[in-house]
Amino acid sequence: IFSGVNVFPNPVNGLATVNVDLVEGGDILVNISNSLGQVLASQKRNNAAAGANRLDIDFSSFASGVYYVNVSMGTQNTVVKVIK
């Protein structure tokens, strides 16, 4: 389902862009979690089109550390590690 997922800039200080390339369209869910697995932020895009999709996530209120951006669509997911 995903032909590519990346987050930039990484390391991030404020706003990060999550680029999701989809083979087919559908609903995208992006969860930001800490190293304990606690979900700190969530963003959903309904009816995302096939191809490139961009979501902006604000990390400015998060403490310095390691975070995980989990992008899921249906039963498929991928995780990208992000440093702040």
Side-chain angles (χ1 to χ4, degrees), residues 61-82:
S61 65
F62 299 161
S64 296
V66 176
Y67 295 91
Y68 298 93
V69 177
N70 185 339
V71 180
S72 60
M73 184 173 171
T75 60
Q76 303 291 314
N77 68 39
T78 189
V79 178
V80 177
K81 183 168 92 171
V82 175

Side-chain angles (χ1 to χ4, degrees), residues 7-82:
V7 179
F8 69 91
N10 191 5
V12 63
N13 195 21
L15 195 63
T17 300
V18 180
N19 284 326
V20 181
D21 291 322
L22 299 175
V23 174
E24 59 186 56
D27 297 340
I28 302 170
L29 177 63
V30 177
N31 288 324
I32 310 303
S33 59
N34 61 18
S35 57
L36 300 175
Q38 299 166 317
V39 175
L40 305 175
S42 209
Q43 192 174 114
K44 186 172 184 179
R45 168 135 336 139
N46 293 321
N47 302 315
N53 291 272
R54 176 182 165 162
L55 296 97
D56 293 322
I57 306 289
D58 187 4
F59 280 80
S60 62
S61 65
F62 299 161
S64 296
V66 176
Y67 295 91
Y68 298 93
V69 177
N70 185 339
V71 180
S72 60
M73 184 173 171
T75 60
Q76 303 291 314
N77 68 39
T78 189
V79 178
V80 177
K81 183 168 92 171
V82 175

